[in-house]
Amino acid sequence: MAKSWIIVLFLITAITVDVRGQSAADSSQTGAIKRPAKKYQAKAPMTQPFGADAFAASNGTTIRWLGMAGFLINSRGTTFMIDPLLEGYDMPLLMNFPITPKQVPHVDAIFATHSDNDHYSVETFKDLSSATNEYHSTIYVDSLMKNEGLPSSGHRIGDTFHFGPIYVRLTPADHAWQNAYPGVSKRHFEPGDACGFWFETPDGTIWAPGDSRLMPEQLHLPAPDLILLDYSEDSAWHFGLDGSAKLINAYPNAQVLLGHWGFVDAPDFAPFNGDPARLKRLALNPERIQVLAPGEPFTLKHVGQEKSAALNPAVQKNKYVDSELLHVFETGDLGMLDAIVDPGFVNHTGMGDRKGIDSLKEMVSGFHARLPNVIMEVKRRWADEEYVTDWIRYTAPGSATAIEGMEVTRYVNGKAIEHWFFPNSQVGRH
């Protein structure tokens, strides 16, 4: 949202210069020129540059703040970035970025939480395209990326997908600030145009809420192991100081890394300012708030009271295969079923047991014949070493029907061997 505020900053600066010029003229008559001190601005520690080694295979999950709102995550060799901005910003900066796009050897995926140019940097995203497999964002931002020729995918709030071993879910965000300023944009921004991202890695869960005003639903998620907080004390369209405290205190054991603060040289511009010391005074377990330098590595660790299921390789494998199976249910693409379904598969239906992969293919094909272009929303997922349960809601354009219920699948040796669907409702949408 920086560009729209440049005008405001320019006007403030112009007025300030005029006042200072008048003061200087008056004081010069007495031989003393008084220059007002620059307003205090909390500043991040100095940048720690890094190179290709940060993208290499490893035995854990490492996070690096890229400056601004960006983060790099390397999870056992699978690398992804969230909101990277590594060049060409339109406001002065307090320090350098820890890496340039030309120095990035490879990225499996890049995520954009919304369209503001400090989160979706067109220049950075395009300059990283030769090293990047795929891009992900909301439906709206996906349309912008496709216009730039990027290999992107758009998702709705609540959608789930995966790349490599990483499971991803979009979480809600409220950042439609453009609607409050007539003339800033020609379009009306919708609630689903901005998002957060929830990641499940082999070493724990990471939540990047994105830029947002505090929303009640953001306080009732499963407890993450790490929160990547876009920290701004501006409460108009960001969490603000009190909102940030409420958010992290809803998950009192989660580690917290701060972005969006201490990098832009704009002490009078609240969206880019936040003082970690002030947040720590309001936080439960304040020692978990880590103030990193841009480029400084942080190792992800599970922080729950008991060992997380996400750390169990069998559970992780089941969730990975389950995501593939749900993709089949949503798209009707049967090509991958032979690789993820056991030959002895049994589908327990209300009309009796159906055995074999072919019976599952018939079920999926019939489902898509009745509801073409179906849209799947995974509301919640539970998993252990044998079963994965998904709370699912199916809708389809042009249909008044919504189907909701529990998909339960049993896995053995990484393949689906039994499946049940327990419908909760099949009601008209409102």
Side-chain angles (χ1 to χ4, degrees), residues 296-320:
E296 180 180 356
F298 174 87
T299 301
L300 177 65
K301 295 180 180 179
H302 175 61
V303 297
Q305 298 300 315
E306 300 178 358
K307 185 176 180 180
S308 170
L311 300 180
N312 187 314
V315 176
Q316 193 71 13
K317 176 65 174 178
N318 288 347
K319 288 162 65 175
Y320 177 87

mmCIF file with all atom_site columns, all heavy atoms in Angstrom, residues 296-320:
data_model
loop_
_atom_site.group_PDB
_atom_site.id
_atom_site.type_symbol
_atom_site.label_atom_id
_atom_site.label_alt_id
_atom_site.label_comp_id
_atom_site.label_asym_id
_atom_site.label_entity_id
_atom_site.label_seq_id
_atom_site.pdbx_PDB_ins_code
_atom_site.Cartn_x
_atom_site.Cartn_y
_atom_site.Cartn_z
_atom_site.occupancy
_atom_site.B_iso_or_equiv
_atom_site.pdbx_formal_charge
_atom_site.auth_seq_id
_atom_site.auth_comp_id
_atom_site.auth_asym_id
_atom_site.auth_atom_id
_atom_site.pdbx_PDB_model_num
ATOM 1   N N   . GLU A 1 296 ? 19.406 -13.529 9.081  1.00 0.00 ? 296 GLU A N   1
ATOM 2   C CA  . GLU A 1 296 ? 19.833 -14.361 10.209 1.00 0.00 ? 296 GLU A CA  1
ATOM 3   C C   . GLU A 1 296 ? 18.987 -15.641 10.254 1.00 0.00 ? 296 GLU A C   1
ATOM 4   O O   . GLU A 1 296 ? 17.764 -15.583 10.196 1.00 0.00 ? 296 GLU A O   1
ATOM 5   C CB  . GLU A 1 296 ? 19.684 -13.585 11.511 1.00 0.00 ? 296 GLU A CB  1
ATOM 6   C CG  . GLU A 1 296 ? 20.108 -14.351 12.750 1.00 0.00 ? 296 GLU A CG  1
ATOM 7   C CD  . GLU A 1 296 ? 19.935 -13.541 14.024 1.00 0.00 ? 296 GLU A CD  1
ATOM 8   O OE1 . GLU A 1 296 ? 19.552 -12.345 13.928 1.00 0.00 ? 296 GLU A OE1 1
ATOM 9   O OE2 . GLU A 1 296 ? 20.177 -14.093 15.118 1.00 0.00 ? 296 GLU A OE2 1
ATOM 10  N N   . PRO A 1 297 ? 19.611 -16.821 10.389 1.00 0.00 ? 297 PRO A N   1
ATOM 11  C CA  . PRO A 1 297 ? 18.837 -18.068 10.382 1.00 0.00 ? 297 PRO A CA  1
ATOM 12  C C   . PRO A 1 297 ? 18.161 -18.355 11.720 1.00 0.00 ? 297 PRO A C   1
ATOM 13  O O   . PRO A 1 297 ? 18.681 -18.021 12.782 1.00 0.00 ? 297 PRO A O   1
ATOM 14  C CB  . PRO A 1 297 ? 19.892 -19.126 10.070 1.00 0.00 ? 297 PRO A CB  1
ATOM 15  C CG  . PRO A 1 297 ? 21.169 -18.555 10.604 1.00 0.00 ? 297 PRO A CG  1
ATOM 16  C CD  . PRO A 1 297 ? 21.062 -17.057 10.396 1.00 0.00 ? 297 PRO A CD  1
ATOM 17  N N   . PHE A 1 298 ? 16.990 -18.971 11.637 1.00 0.00 ? 298 PHE A N   1
ATOM 18  C CA  . PHE A 1 298 ? 16.239 -19.421 12.814 1.00 0.00 ? 298 PHE A CA  1
ATOM 19  C C   . PHE A 1 298 ? 15.785 -20.851 12.542 1.00 0.00 ? 298 PHE A C   1
ATOM 20  O O   . PHE A 1 298 ? 15.223 -21.133 11.480 1.00 0.00 ? 298 PHE A O   1
ATOM 21  C CB  . PHE A 1 298 ? 15.030 -18.516 13.067 1.00 0.00 ? 298 PHE A CB  1
ATOM 22  C CG  . PHE A 1 298 ? 14.138 -18.990 14.177 1.00 0.00 ? 298 PHE A CG  1
ATOM 23  C CD1 . PHE A 1 298 ? 14.398 -18.632 15.494 1.00 0.00 ? 298 PHE A CD1 1
ATOM 24  C CD2 . PHE A 1 298 ? 13.036 -19.796 13.920 1.00 0.00 ? 298 PHE A CD2 1
ATOM 25  C CE1 . PHE A 1 298 ? 13.585 -19.069 16.530 1.00 0.00 ? 298 PHE A CE1 1
ATOM 26  C CE2 . PHE A 1 298 ? 12.214 -20.227 14.942 1.00 0.00 ? 298 PHE A CE2 1
ATOM 27  C CZ  . PHE A 1 298 ? 12.494 -19.872 16.253 1.00 0.00 ? 298 PHE A CZ  1
ATOM 28  N N   . THR A 1 299 ? 16.001 -21.747 13.486 1.00 0.00 ? 299 THR A N   1
ATOM 29  C CA  . THR A 1 299 ? 15.652 -23.150 13.314 1.00 0.00 ? 299 THR A CA  1
ATOM 30  C C   . THR A 1 299 ? 14.290 -23.438 13.915 1.00 0.00 ? 299 THR A C   1
ATOM 31  O O   . THR A 1 299 ? 14.045 -23.140 15.093 1.00 0.00 ? 299 THR A O   1
ATOM 32  C CB  . THR A 1 299 ? 16.701 -24.061 13.966 1.00 0.00 ? 299 THR A CB  1
ATOM 33  O OG1 . THR A 1 299 ? 17.983 -23.800 13.373 1.00 0.00 ? 299 THR A OG1 1
ATOM 34  C CG2 . THR A 1 299 ? 16.352 -25.531 13.768 1.00 0.00 ? 299 THR A CG2 1
ATOM 35  N N   . LEU A 1 300 ? 13.407 -24.015 13.115 1.00 0.00 ? 300 LEU A N   1
ATOM 36  C CA  . LEU A 1 300 ? 12.054 -24.344 13.568 1.00 0.00 ? 300 LEU A CA  1
ATOM 37  C C   . LEU A 1 300 ? 12.093 -25.560 14.485 1.00 0.00 ? 300 LEU A C   1
ATOM 38  O O   . LEU A 1 300 ? 12.713 -26.570 14.163 1.00 0.00 ? 300 LEU A O   1
ATOM 39  C CB  . LEU A 1 300 ? 11.162 -24.631 12.356 1.00 0.00 ? 300 LEU A CB  1
ATOM 40  C CG  . LEU A 1 300 ? 9.719  -25.063 12.656 1.00 0.00 ? 300 LEU A CG  1
ATOM 41  C CD1 . LEU A 1 300 ? 8.942  -23.952 13.342 1.00 0.00 ? 300 LEU A CD1 1
ATOM 42  C CD2 . LEU A 1 300 ? 9.013  -25.480 11.358 1.00 0.00 ? 300 LEU A CD2 1
ATOM 43  N N   . LYS A 1 301 ? 11.401 -25.453 15.607 1.00 0.00 ? 301 LYS A N   1
ATOM 44  C CA  . LYS A 1 301 ? 11.275 -26.564 16.540 1.00 0.00 ? 301 LYS A CA  1
ATOM 45  C C   . LYS A 1 301 ? 9.840  -26.643 17.029 1.00 0.00 ? 301 LYS A C   1
ATOM 46  O O   . LYS A 1 301 ? 9.183  -25.619 17.193 1.00 0.00 ? 301 LYS A O   1
ATOM 47  C CB  . LYS A 1 301 ? 12.216 -26.385 17.738 1.00 0.00 ? 301 LYS A CB  1
ATOM 48  C CG  . LYS A 1 301 ? 13.694 -26.438 17.378 1.00 0.00 ? 301 LYS A CG  1
ATOM 49  C CD  . LYS A 1 301 ? 14.565 -26.261 18.605 1.00 0.00 ? 301 LYS A CD  1
ATOM 50  C CE  . LYS A 1 301 ? 16.049 -26.325 18.249 1.00 0.00 ? 301 LYS A CE  1
ATOM 51  N NZ  . LYS A 1 301 ? 16.903 -26.120 19.444 1.00 0.00 ? 301 LYS A NZ  1
ATOM 52  N N   . HIS A 1 302 ? 9.392  -27.864 17.260 1.00 0.00 ? 302 HIS A N   1
ATOM 53  C CA  . HIS A 1 302 ? 8.059  -28.036 17.819 1.00 0.00 ? 302 HIS A CA  1
ATOM 54  C C   . HIS A 1 302 ? 8.062  -27.549 19.262 1.00 0.00 ? 302 HIS A C   1
ATOM 55  O O   . HIS A 1 302 ? 8.953  -27.868 20.038 1.00 0.00 ? 302 HIS A O   1
ATOM 56  C CB  . HIS A 1 302 ? 7.635  -29.501 17.757 1.00 0.00 ? 302 HIS A CB  1
ATOM 57  C CG  . HIS A 1 302 ? 6.326  -29.765 18.413 1.00 0.00 ? 302 HIS A CG  1
ATOM 58  N ND1 . HIS A 1 302 ? 5.158  -29.178 17.981 1.00 0.00 ? 302 HIS A ND1 1
ATOM 59  C CD2 . HIS A 1 302 ? 5.997  -30.521 19.488 1.00 0.00 ? 302 HIS A CD2 1
ATOM 60  C CE1 . HIS A 1 302 ? 4.167  -29.575 18.755 1.00 0.00 ? 302 HIS A CE1 1
ATOM 61  N NE2 . HIS A 1 302 ? 4.647  -30.392 19.670 1.00 0.00 ? 302 HIS A NE2 1
ATOM 62  N N   . VAL A 1 303 ? 7.040  -26.774 19.647 1.00 0.00 ? 303 VAL A N   1
ATOM 63  C CA  . VAL A 1 303 ? 7.016  -26.164 20.976 1.00 0.00 ? 303 VAL A CA  1
ATOM 64  C C   . VAL A 1 303 ? 5.854  -26.649 21.825 1.00 0.00 ? 303 VAL A C   1
ATOM 65  O O   . VAL A 1 303 ? 5.634  -26.143 22.917 1.00 0.00 ? 303 VAL A O   1
ATOM 66  C CB  . VAL A 1 303 ? 6.957  -24.626 20.872 1.00 0.00 ? 303 VAL A CB  1
ATOM 67  C CG1 . VAL A 1 303 ? 8.205  -24.091 20.196 1.00 0.00 ? 303 VAL A CG1 1
ATOM 68  C CG2 . VAL A 1 303 ? 5.707  -24.173 20.113 1.00 0.00 ? 303 VAL A CG2 1
ATOM 69  N N   . GLY A 1 304 ? 5.065  -27.634 21.352 1.00 0.00 ? 304 GLY A N   1
ATOM 70  C CA  . GLY A 1 304 ? 3.924  -28.133 22.110 1.00 0.00 ? 304 GLY A CA  1
ATOM 71  C C   . GLY A 1 304 ? 4.358  -28.915 23.331 1.00 0.00 ? 304 GLY A C   1
ATOM 72  O O   . GLY A 1 304 ? 5.538  -29.238 23.536 1.00 0.00 ? 304 GLY A O   1
ATOM 73  N N   . GLN A 1 305 ? 3.378  -29.284 24.141 1.00 0.00 ? 305 GLN A N   1
ATOM 74  C CA  . GLN A 1 305 ? 3.656  -30.031 25.363 1.00 0.00 ? 305 GLN A CA  1
ATOM 75  C C   . GLN A 1 305 ? 4.043  -31.469 25.047 1.00 0.00 ? 305 GLN A C   1
ATOM 76  O O   . GLN A 1 305 ? 4.768  -32.100 25.805 1.00 0.00 ? 305 GLN A O   1
ATOM 77  C CB  . GLN A 1 305 ? 2.426  -30.013 26.275 1.00 0.00 ? 305 GLN A CB  1
ATOM 78  C CG  . GLN A 1 305 ? 2.034  -28.621 26.722 1.00 0.00 ? 305 GLN A CG  1
ATOM 79  C CD  . GLN A 1 305 ? 3.140  -27.946 27.491 1.00 0.00 ? 305 GLN A CD  1
ATOM 80  O OE1 . GLN A 1 305 ? 3.773  -28.537 28.365 1.00 0.00 ? 305 GLN A OE1 1
ATOM 81  N NE2 . GLN A 1 305 ? 3.393  -26.686 27.169 1.00 0.00 ? 305 GLN A NE2 1
ATOM 82  N N   . GLU A 1 306 ? 3.519  -32.021 23.952 1.00 0.00 ? 306 GLU A N   1
ATOM 83  C CA  . GLU A 1 306 ? 3.838  -33.372 23.556 1.00 0.00 ? 306 GLU A CA  1
ATOM 84  C C   . GLU A 1 306 ? 4.350  -33.348 22.122 1.00 0.00 ? 306 GLU A C   1
ATOM 85  O O   . GLU A 1 306 ? 4.185  -32.378 21.394 1.00 0.00 ? 306 GLU A O   1
ATOM 86  C CB  . GLU A 1 306 ? 2.589  -34.268 23.642 1.00 0.00 ? 306 GLU A CB  1
ATOM 87  C CG  . GLU A 1 306 ? 2.008  -34.347 25.049 1.00 0.00 ? 306 GLU A CG  1
ATOM 88  C CD  . GLU A 1 306 ? 0.754  -35.198 25.088 1.00 0.00 ? 306 GLU A CD  1
ATOM 89  O OE1 . GLU A 1 306 ? 0.335  -35.683 24.013 1.00 0.00 ? 306 GLU A OE1 1
ATOM 90  O OE2 . GLU A 1 306 ? 0.211  -35.383 26.182 1.00 0.00 ? 306 GLU A OE2 1
ATOM 91  N N   . LYS A 1 307 ? 4.960  -34.433 21.710 1.00 0.00 ? 307 LYS A N   1
ATOM 92  C CA  . LYS A 1 307 ? 5.494  -34.517 20.352 1.00 0.00 ? 307 LYS A CA  1
ATOM 93  C C   . LYS A 1 307 ? 4.378  -34.326 19.343 1.00 0.00 ? 307 LYS A C   1
ATOM 94  O O   . LYS A 1 307 ? 3.348  -34.975 19.410 1.00 0.00 ? 307 LYS A O   1
ATOM 95  C CB  . LYS A 1 307 ? 6.170  -35.875 20.138 1.00 0.00 ? 307 LYS A CB  1
ATOM 96  C CG  . LYS A 1 307 ? 6.858  -35.984 18.771 1.00 0.00 ? 307 LYS A CG  1
ATOM 97  C CD  . LYS A 1 307 ? 7.577  -37.297 18.645 1.00 0.00 ? 307 LYS A CD  1
ATOM 98  C CE  . LYS A 1 307 ? 8.260  -37.417 17.288 1.00 0.00 ? 307 LYS A CE  1
ATOM 99  N NZ  . LYS A 1 307 ? 8.966  -38.690 17.128 1.00 0.00 ? 307 LYS A NZ  1
ATOM 100 N N   . SER A 1 308 ? 4.599  -33.451 18.405 1.00 0.00 ? 308 SER A N   1
ATOM 101 C CA  . SER A 1 308 ? 3.572  -33.155 17.418 1.00 0.00 ? 308 SER A CA  1
ATOM 102 C C   . SER A 1 308 ? 3.446  -34.285 16.411 1.00 0.00 ? 308 SER A C   1
ATOM 103 O O   . SER A 1 308 ? 4.427  -34.896 16.004 1.00 0.00 ? 308 SER A O   1
ATOM 104 C CB  . SER A 1 308 ? 3.920  -31.859 16.682 1.00 0.00 ? 308 SER A CB  1
ATOM 105 O OG  . SER A 1 308 ? 3.094  -31.671 15.583 1.00 0.00 ? 308 SER A OG  1
ATOM 106 N N   . ALA A 1 309 ? 2.189  -34.544 15.994 1.00 0.00 ? 309 ALA A N   1
ATOM 107 C CA  . ALA A 1 309 ? 1.978  -35.530 14.943 1.00 0.00 ? 309 ALA A CA  1
ATOM 108 C C   . ALA A 1 309 ? 2.676  -35.113 13.657 1.00 0.00 ? 309 ALA A C   1
ATOM 109 O O   . ALA A 1 309 ? 3.050  -35.954 12.845 1.00 0.00 ? 309 ALA A O   1
ATOM 110 C CB  . ALA A 1 309 ? 0.486  -35.705 14.691 1.00 0.00 ? 309 ALA A CB  1
ATOM 111 N N   . ALA A 1 310 ? 2.856  -33.795 13.491 1.00 0.00 ? 310 ALA A N   1
ATOM 112 C CA  . ALA A 1 310 ? 3.518  -33.315 12.275 1.00 0.00 ? 310 ALA A CA  1
ATOM 113 C C   . ALA A 1 310 ? 4.963  -33.781 12.182 1.00 0.00 ? 310 ALA A C   1
ATOM 114 O O   . ALA A 1 310 ? 5.551  -33.791 11.117 1.00 0.00 ? 310 ALA A O   1
ATOM 115 C CB  . ALA A 1 310 ? 3.461  -31.787 12.209 1.00 0.00 ? 310 ALA A CB  1
ATOM 116 N N   . LEU A 1 311 ? 5.582  -34.180 13.326 1.00 0.00 ? 311 LEU A N   1
ATOM 117 C CA  . LEU A 1 311 ? 6.950  -34.640 13.328 1.00 0.00 ? 311 LEU A CA  1
ATOM 118 C C   . LEU A 1 311 ? 7.063  -36.124 13.016 1.00 0.00 ? 311 LEU A C   1
ATOM 119 O O   . LEU A 1 311 ? 8.154  -36.636 12.815 1.00 0.00 ? 311 LEU A O   1
ATOM 120 C CB  . LEU A 1 311 ? 7.589  -34.360 14.694 1.00 0.00 ? 311 LEU A CB  1
ATOM 121 C CG  . LEU A 1 311 ? 7.640  -32.899 15.121 1.00 0.00 ? 311 LEU A CG  1
ATOM 122 C CD1 . LEU A 1 311 ? 8.288  -32.774 16.480 1.00 0.00 ? 311 LEU A CD1 1
ATOM 123 C CD2 . LEU A 1 311 ? 8.407  -32.080 14.114 1.00 0.00 ? 311 LEU A CD2 1
ATOM 124 N N   . ASN A 1 312 ? 5.950  -36.838 13.010 1.00 0.00 ? 312 ASN A N   1
ATOM 125 C CA  . ASN A 1 312 ? 5.944  -38.274 12.773 1.00 0.00 ? 312 ASN A CA  1
ATOM 126 C C   . ASN A 1 312 ? 5.970  -38.532 11.268 1.00 0.00 ? 312 ASN A C   1
ATOM 127 O O   . ASN A 1 312 ? 5.054  -38.139 10.554 1.00 0.00 ? 312 ASN A O   1
ATOM 128 C CB  . ASN A 1 312 ? 4.687  -38.888 13.406 1.00 0.00 ? 312 ASN A CB  1
ATOM 129 C CG  . ASN A 1 312 ? 4.692  -40.390 13.346 1.00 0.00 ? 312 ASN A CG  1
ATOM 130 O OD1 . ASN A 1 312 ? 4.996  -40.979 12.321 1.00 0.00 ? 312 ASN A OD1 1
ATOM 131 N ND2 . ASN A 1 312 ? 4.331  -41.018 14.447 1.00 0.00 ? 312 ASN A ND2 1
ATOM 132 N N   . PRO A 1 313 ? 7.009  -39.207 10.751 1.00 0.00 ? 313 PRO A N   1
ATOM 133 C CA  . PRO A 1 313 ? 7.094  -39.407 9.295  1.00 0.00 ? 313 PRO A CA  1
ATOM 134 C C   . PRO A 1 313 ? 5.892  -40.142 8.717  1.00 0.00 ? 313 PRO A C   1
ATOM 135 O O   . PRO A 1 313 ? 5.459  -39.843 7.596  1.00 0.00 ? 313 PRO A O   1
ATOM 136 C CB  . PRO A 1 313 ? 8.381  -40.222 9.132  1.00 0.00 ? 313 PRO A CB  1
ATOM 137 C CG  . PRO A 1 313 ? 9.185  -39.926 10.354 1.00 0.00 ? 313 PRO A CG  1
ATOM 138 C CD  . PRO A 1 313 ? 8.194  -39.719 11.452 1.00 0.00 ? 313 PRO A CD  1
ATOM 139 N N   . ALA A 1 314 ? 5.349  -41.118 9.457  1.00 0.00 ? 314 ALA A N   1
ATOM 140 C CA  . ALA A 1 314 ? 4.188  -41.857 8.944  1.00 0.00 ? 314 ALA A CA  1
ATOM 141 C C   . ALA A 1 314 ? 2.980  -40.947 8.811  1.00 0.00 ? 314 ALA A C   1
ATOM 142 O O   . ALA A 1 314 ? 2.230  -41.022 7.825  1.00 0.00 ? 314 ALA A O   1
ATOM 143 C CB  . ALA A 1 314 ? 3.876  -43.036 9.861  1.00 0.00 ? 314 ALA A CB  1
ATOM 144 N N   . VAL A 1 315 ? 2.770  -40.082 9.800  1.00 0.00 ? 315 VAL A N   1
ATOM 145 C CA  . VAL A 1 315 ? 1.651  -39.140 9.740  1.00 0.00 ? 315 VAL A CA  1
ATOM 146 C C   . VAL A 1 315 ? 1.843  -38.165 8.592  1.00 0.00 ? 315 VAL A C   1
ATOM 147 O O   . VAL A 1 315 ? 0.914  -37.868 7.834  1.00 0.00 ? 315 VAL A O   1
ATOM 148 C CB  . VAL A 1 315 ? 1.510  -38.385 11.081 1.00 0.00 ? 315 VAL A CB  1
ATOM 149 C CG1 . VAL A 1 315 ? 0.400  -37.335 10.987 1.00 0.00 ? 315 VAL A CG1 1
ATOM 150 C CG2 . VAL A 1 315 ? 1.226  -39.353 12.219 1.00 0.00 ? 315 VAL A CG2 1
ATOM 151 N N   . GLN A 1 316 ? 3.070  -37.681 8.448  1.00 0.00 ? 316 GLN A N   1
ATOM 152 C CA  . GLN A 1 316 ? 3.354  -36.739 7.368  1.00 0.00 ? 316 GLN A CA  1
ATOM 153 C C   . GLN A 1 316 ? 3.108  -37.380 6.004  1.00 0.00 ? 316 GLN A C   1
ATOM 154 O O   . GLN A 1 316 ? 2.542  -36.762 5.095  1.00 0.00 ? 316 GLN A O   1
ATOM 155 C CB  . GLN A 1 316 ? 4.810  -36.253 7.481  1.00 0.00 ? 316 GLN A CB  1
ATOM 156 C CG  . GLN A 1 316 ? 5.134  -35.052 6.624  1.00 0.00 ? 316 GLN A CG  1
ATOM 157 C CD  . GLN A 1 316 ? 4.492  -33.784 7.124  1.00 0.00 ? 316 GLN A CD  1
ATOM 158 O OE1 . GLN A 1 316 ? 4.006  -33.743 8.230  1.00 0.00 ? 316 GLN A OE1 1
ATOM 159 N NE2 . GLN A 1 316 ? 4.469  -32.749 6.293  1.00 0.00 ? 316 GLN A NE2 1
ATOM 160 N N   . LYS A 1 317 ? 3.523  -38.630 5.857  1.00 0.00 ? 317 LYS A N   1
ATOM 161 C CA  . LYS A 1 317 ? 3.298  -39.339 4.591  1.00 0.00 ? 317 LYS A CA  1
ATOM 162 C C   . LYS A 1 317 ? 1.807  -39.514 4.322  1.00 0.00 ? 317 LYS A C   1
ATOM 163 O O   . LYS A 1 317 ? 1.335  -39.302 3.194  1.00 0.00 ? 317 LYS A O   1
ATOM 164 C CB  . LYS A 1 317 ? 3.975  -40.712 4.662  1.00 0.00 ? 317 LYS A CB  1
ATOM 165 C CG  . LYS A 1 317 ? 3.733  -41.599 3.434  1.00 0.00 ? 317 LYS A CG  1
ATOM 166 C CD  . LYS A 1 317 ? 4.359  -41.026 2.177  1.00 0.00 ? 317 LYS A CD  1
ATOM 167 C CE  . LYS A 1 317 ? 4.237  -41.996 1.020  1.00 0.00 ? 317 LYS A CE  1
ATOM 168 N NZ  . LYS A 1 317 ? 4.793  -41.453 -0.240 1.00 0.00 ? 317 LYS A NZ  1
ATOM 169 N N   . ASN A 1 318 ? 1.038  -39.884 5.369  1.00 0.00 ? 318 ASN A N   1
ATOM 170 C CA  . ASN A 1 318 ? -0.409 -40.052 5.182  1.00 0.00 ? 318 ASN A CA  1
ATOM 171 C C   . ASN A 1 318 ? -1.063 -38.750 4.745  1.00 0.00 ? 318 ASN A C   1
ATOM 172 O O   . ASN A 1 318 ? -1.946 -38.745 3.871  1.00 0.00 ? 318 ASN A O   1
ATOM 173 C CB  . ASN A 1 318 ? -1.045 -40.554 6.474  1.00 0.00 ? 318 ASN A CB  1
ATOM 174 C CG  . ASN A 1 318 ? -0.698 -42.006 6.771  1.00 0.00 ? 318 ASN A CG  1
ATOM 175 O OD1 . ASN A 1 318 ? -0.188 -42.717 5.911  1.00 0.00 ? 318 ASN A OD1 1
ATOM 176 N ND2 . ASN A 1 318 ? -0.956 -42.440 7.988  1.00 0.00 ? 318 ASN A ND2 1
ATOM 177 N N   . LYS A 1 319 ? -0.649 -37.639 5.339  1.00 0.00 ? 319 LYS A N   1
ATOM 178 C CA  . LYS A 1 319 ? -1.239 -36.354 4.986  1.00 0.00 ? 319 LYS A CA  1
ATOM 179 C C   . LYS A 1 319 ? -0.870 -35.956 3.556  1.00 0.00 ? 319 LYS A C   1
ATOM 180 O O   . LYS A 1 319 ? -1.687 -35.388 2.821  1.00 0.00 ? 319 LYS A O   1
ATOM 181 C CB  . LYS A 1 319 ? -0.795 -35.283 5.984  1.00 0.00 ? 319 LYS A CB  1
ATOM 182 C CG  . LYS A 1 319 ? -1.431 -35.439 7.352  1.00 0.00 ? 319 LYS A CG  1
ATOM 183 C CD  . LYS A 1 319 ? -0.702 -34.678 8.436  1.00 0.00 ? 319 LYS A CD  1
ATOM 184 C CE  . LYS A 1 319 ? -0.730 -33.212 8.271  1.00 0.00 ? 319 LYS A CE  1
ATOM 185 N NZ  . LYS A 1 319 ? -0.107 -32.497 9.394  1.00 0.00 ? 319 LYS A NZ  1
ATOM 186 N N   . TYR A 1 320 ? 0.341  -36.295 3.167  1.00 0.00 ? 320 TYR A N   1
ATOM 187 C CA  . TYR A 1 320 ? 0.779  -35.988 1.792  1.00 0.00 ? 320 TYR A CA  1
ATOM 188 C C   . TYR A 1 320 ? -0.079 -36.756 0.780  1.00 0.00 ? 320 TYR A C   1
ATOM 189 O O   . TYR A 1 320 ? -0.602 -36.181 -0.190 1.00 0.00 ? 320 TYR A O   1
ATOM 190 C CB  . TYR A 1 320 ? 2.251  -36.362 1.647  1.00 0.00 ? 320 TYR A CB  1
ATOM 191 C CG  . TYR A 1 320 ? 2.812  -36.167 0.259  1.00 0.00 ? 320 TYR A CG  1
ATOM 192 C CD1 . TYR A 1 320 ? 3.335  -34.946 -0.124 1.00 0.00 ? 320 TYR A CD1 1
ATOM 193 C CD2 . TYR A 1 320 ? 2.833  -37.206 -0.665 1.00 0.00 ? 320 TYR A CD2 1
ATOM 194 C CE1 . TYR A 1 320 ? 3.848  -34.751 -1.403 1.00 0.00 ? 320 TYR A CE1 1
ATOM 195 C CE2 . TYR A 1 320 ? 3.344  -37.027 -1.937 1.00 0.00 ? 320 TYR A CE2 1
ATOM 196 C CZ  . TYR A 1 320 ? 3.858  -35.811 -2.300 1.00 0.00 ? 320 TYR A CZ  1
ATOM 197 O OH  . TYR A 1 320 ? 4.357  -35.623 -3.562 1.00 0.00 ? 320 TYR A OH  1
#
